[in-house]
Amino acid sequence: MKRTTTMLTAVALATAAGGVSAEEMTIVSWGGAYSKSQLKAYHEPYSEKTGVTILNDDSSAEAVAKLRAMNEAGNITWDVVDVVAADAIRLCDEGLAMEIDPDTQLAPAPDGTSASEDFGDLLVSECFIPQIVYSTTFGYRTDMVGDNPPTDICAVFDLETYPGKRSLEKRPINNMEWALLCDGVAKDEVYDVLATDEGQDRALKKLDTIKDSVVWWSAGADTPQLLADGEVVMGSTYNGRLFSVIEEQKQPVAMLWDAQVFDLDGWIIPAGLSEERKQRALDYIMFATDTQRLADQAKYISYGPARASSAPLVGKHAELGIDMAPHMPTDPENAKNTFLYNYEFWADYRDDIDAKFQAWLAQ
């Protein structure tokens, strides 16, 4: 049996494109509509090109904790991991993600523009390869708000006008910012306030006003399902998930774009991989973050591609045939009042505020 396995491995190595092993690799992401968009835009064409079998793992929400544990155990089982920018910064700072040189390890734009110039300011960490600009925002049931649809983020805290359950993510990020905004803190002062114990307590006190009416979610697919089932009147999630429930599933749901929180999502490669696995991961990253592939993802979900050269290639939805541009968080009509997520703040404060938030949840 051992000899047979060795021979099969040798055959797999011989049939790989570019010398990269045509075996299995585990790619970690967020599940639901987002993983489907990656499957269509990246995984299927890469597997067809190379023969590599891609195993999907929907553990991105726990990526930092799990990579810490894997590192401690000396057993890294993931090959490429999709994380938000703040988590990439933390993983890079802790030596759990490998550094990437964009101009030698990522593809240039079709016109020869270097990857570092094409991605520009979105390269917020030496270990992070951006895929998308997305936002966390709110959807609401159009049939549950009567003739008075919400237009302001603070509707989330207005139980009198909008009675019923709302869904919020089971973590402090975004919730704390929205709470302070709706408690009268100016947008440009939110992170200064949140950096203090008093500011954190103030945010939690505001969240206390709706705590009994909140369904807490952990996976991006949760709020769309809760909205589709009519179990919540409104809820936060990623704009692409709401696009799916509105345009693909045709549910009675609409978007509340006010104070949408812009963020970046992208790839890291875990530190500590064998040379063979590292080269395979780099080959995948080179492929999956080129100009055309990032534009292709926007055919399946309404997130803006991170490369400047990809934006002109965004067209219609691959299955619905509708123009995708008006559904992007960056569309001028949708971006009238955005909130810019502070990656550095959350990289520095995440662990402490997480602990305080989870203690508050348990009260």
Side-chain angles (χ1 to χ4, degrees), residues 60-93:
S60 282
E62 296 84 38
V64 173
K66 290 194 173 186
L67 281 170
R68 285 171 176 166
M70 288 181 192
N71 184 69
E72 187 74 21
N75 182 27
I76 311 297
T77 60
W78 294 346
D79 296 283
V80 180
V81 186
D82 187 306
V83 292
V84 294
D87 283 351
I89 292 171
R90 287 200 291 166
L91 291 166
C92 200
D93 288 348

Side-chain angles (χ1 to χ4, degrees), residues 71-341:
N71 184 69
E72 187 74 21
N75 182 27
I76 311 297
T77 60
W78 294 346
D79 296 283
V80 180
V81 186
D82 187 306
V83 292
V84 294
D87 283 351
I89 292 171
R90 287 200 291 166
L91 291 166
C92 200
D93 288 348
E94 295 177 26
L96 299 179
M98 62 176 279
E99 294 185 5
I100 301 291
D101 178 0
D103 292 336
T104 62
Q105 294 175 313
L106 302 178
D111 66 358
T113 299
S114 67
S116 60
E117 185 177 345
D118 205 19
F119 284 106
D121 292 340
L122 303 189
L123 292 169
V124 297
S125 165
E126 293 176 333
C127 303
F128 180 63
I129 310 102
Q131 284 177 77
I132 58 159
V133 178
Y134 74 98
S135 75
T136 304
T137 190
F138 279 82
Y140 62 90
R141 287 282 303 207
T142 55
D143 57 347
M144 294 172 68
V145 298
D147 298 326
N148 187 26
T151 58
D152 184 284
I153 185 64
C154 297
V156 175
F157 295 91
D158 187 353
L159 293 173
E160 183 176 345
T161 306
Y162 303 103
K165 297 285 187 179
R166 36 275 269 141
S167 56
L168 295 174
E169 189 172 6
K170 197 175 183 179
R171 65 175 190 169
I173 292 175
N174 301 331
N175 294 324
M176 304 287 270
E177 289 96 324
W178 287 323
L180 289 177
L181 285 174
C182 294
D183 201 47
V185 177
K187 187 189 294 187
D188 61 356
E189 296 176 5
V190 163
Y191 286 110
D192 289 337
V193 174
L194 198 54
T196 67
D197 287 336
E198 295 81 9
Q200 294 160 21
D201 292 342
R202 181 176 176 181
L204 293 174
K205 185 176 180 181
K206 183 67 175 178
L207 287 166
D208 262 330
T209 65
I210 59 170
K211 186 178 182 181
D212 290 343
S213 297
V214 172
V215 177
W216 299 101
W217 62 268
S218 298
D222 292 348
T223 286
Q225 190 62 54
L226 289 165
L227 286 166
D229 293 342
E231 293 186 26
V232 298
V233 63
M234 62 182 70
S236 68
T237 191
Y238 314 121
N239 73 282
R241 303 303 183 95
L242 290 171
F243 170 85
S244 179
V245 80
I246 294 167
E247 297 295 340
E248 296 175 356
Q249 300 177 33
K250 301 299 182 185
Q251 295 289 341
V253 175
M255 299 274 257
L256 175 62
W257 289 105
D258 186 58
Q260 59 167 321
V261 181
F262 273 9
D263 200 354
L264 301 175
D265 190 83
W267 302 112
I268 62 100
I269 297 174
L273 298 182
S274 68
E275 187 62 24
E276 179 188 325
R277 290 175 63 199
K278 182 175 81 170
Q279 291 304 319
R280 184 176 57 198
L282 285 167
D283 189 65
Y284 173 84
I285 289 293
M286 173 83 79
F287 176 87
T289 62
D290 73 15
T291 294
Q292 186 60 57
R293 242 56 59 176
L294 292 183
D296 285 348
Q297 189 180 10
K299 296 178 183 178
Y300 301 98
I301 200 160
S302 56
Y303 297 137
R307 277 184 178 262
S309 62
S310 299
L313 303 181
V314 174
K316 296 184 181 297
H317 190 279
E319 297 161 0
L320 302 178
I322 60 175
D323 185 6
M324 291 299 285
H327 299 281
M328 296 293 172
T330 49
D331 181 79
E333 191 63 27
N334 302 331
K336 289 179 177 178
N337 182 33
T338 61
F339 188 87
L340 300 179
Y341 179 80

